[in-house]
Amino acid sequence: MTRIGLSYADGNDSYEKYPAALAAAAEGLGMPVQHVWLSGGRAPHDALSDVDAVLFTGGGDIDPQRFGRSDLSGACAGINLARDTTELRLAQEALARKLPVLAICRGAQLLNVSQGGTLLVDIRGHSGSDGVDAEHVVQIAEDSVLRRIVGSPRAAANSSHHQAVGRIAERFRATAIADDGIIEGFELREPAGQPFLLAVQWHPERLGSEIPAGGGIFRAFLAEAGRL
């Protein structure tokens, strides 16, 4: 049984889309998978001791004090200081353990901050409206994990965010860029020894399981997690 740790859920129905996407991908691969919520108060070292991979979920804004910009707090919403603390520790521990990692939306932002990167705290054009995701195209680097998954230099993406990666952490490199220059995906600059790390700003869990930039990402993530 492959156990996937999910970083956080607050009871909102949108969080159930993550285990649903994992279950659909697992069925397609014919592999048994169990998801485990990691937000139960356990120390990161203990929480990650019995999972095979980690999925960092979306959600509210990260406290800009985490990347040295307390002056930007007024542009943020939904900050959860306890969640920030727990997830930043989980990210650092997951990378130290070389666990497969998939980070989505806020999760991508958090992963970047955990390694010394910064965020753009208020962008336009990617937030959608009335609960409907914005739709746009991303360009995908040729020599990347994401390109191998998607199989194309361009892919349609869905998003609902007003923040994004700013200065990318030194150990990462951008591998998906929106037409307006916003970083939409990144991976390790030197992936040796790390079985899988992919961060995307869009929401693959809300795309169809048959779409490479949707279900294809989850299948690739689980395939790597199942090899450990």
Side-chain angles (χ1 to χ4, degrees):
M1 177 73 70
T2 300
R3 291 168 58 87
I4 307 298
L6 281 72
S7 63
Y8 183 82
D10 67 356
N12 188 302
D13 289 345
S14 65
Y15 284 99
E16 293 306 315
K17 295 184 182 297
Y18 297 104
L22 286 170
E27 182 177 2
L29 294 171
M31 64 183 290
V33 169
Q34 180 182 19
H35 73 272
V36 180
W37 295 108
L38 300 175
S39 51
R42 299 171 65 191
H45 182 276
D46 295 333
L48 296 181
S49 63
D50 57 356
V51 301
D52 301 297
V54 183
L55 191 163
F56 288 95
T57 60
D61 293 341
I62 296 163
D63 183 1
Q65 293 189 71
R66 300 290 184 171
F67 48 95
R69 294 299 304 271
S70 58
D71 58 306
L72 299 176
S73 296
C76 299
I79 292 174
N80 182 328
L81 297 178
R83 179 180 181 183
D84 287 351
T85 297
T86 297
E87 291 193 337
L88 287 167
R89 291 174 179 168
L90 283 171
Q92 292 161 352
E93 181 72 16
L95 289 176
R97 289 172 179 255
K98 300 187 185 304
L99 292 174
V101 169
L102 174 60
I104 294 172
C105 196
R106 169 198 157 91
Q109 298 165 17
L110 178 118
L111 193 61
N112 187 51
V113 171
S114 79
Q115 302 302 303
T118 66
L119 302 181
L120 304 173
V121 301
D122 193 8
I123 63 172
R124 307 295 176 183
H126 289 247
S127 59
S129 62
D130 298 325
V132 178
D133 290 338
E135 296 182 0
H136 55 280
V137 172
V138 297
Q139 298 191 54
I140 302 172
E142 183 175 2
D143 57 338
S144 65
V145 171
L146 187 59
R147 180 68 171 270
R148 291 195 294 273
I149 293 170
V150 174
S152 172
R154 291 172 67 84
N158 61 331
S159 61
S160 178
H161 64 102
H162 75 104
Q163 297 193 337
V165 170
R167 186 189 75 249
I168 197 164
E170 185 176 348
R171 72 182 302 182
F172 300 135
R173 67 184 184 104
T175 54
I177 307 289
D179 288 342
D180 60 4
I182 295 294
I183 294 174
E184 288 275 340
F186 63 84
E187 302 167 17
L188 285 170
R189 189 177 299 277
E190 299 291 341
Q194 177 76 34
F196 184 96
L197 184 144
L198 177 61
V200 295
Q201 185 59 63
W202 67 88
H203 284 274
E205 80 282 3
R206 301 207 288 255
L207 293 175
S209 61
E210 75 285 355
I211 297 173
I217 287 176
F218 284 95
R219 288 189 293 275
F221 173 56
L222 288 184
E224 291 296 329
R227 290 191 177 102
L228 297 183

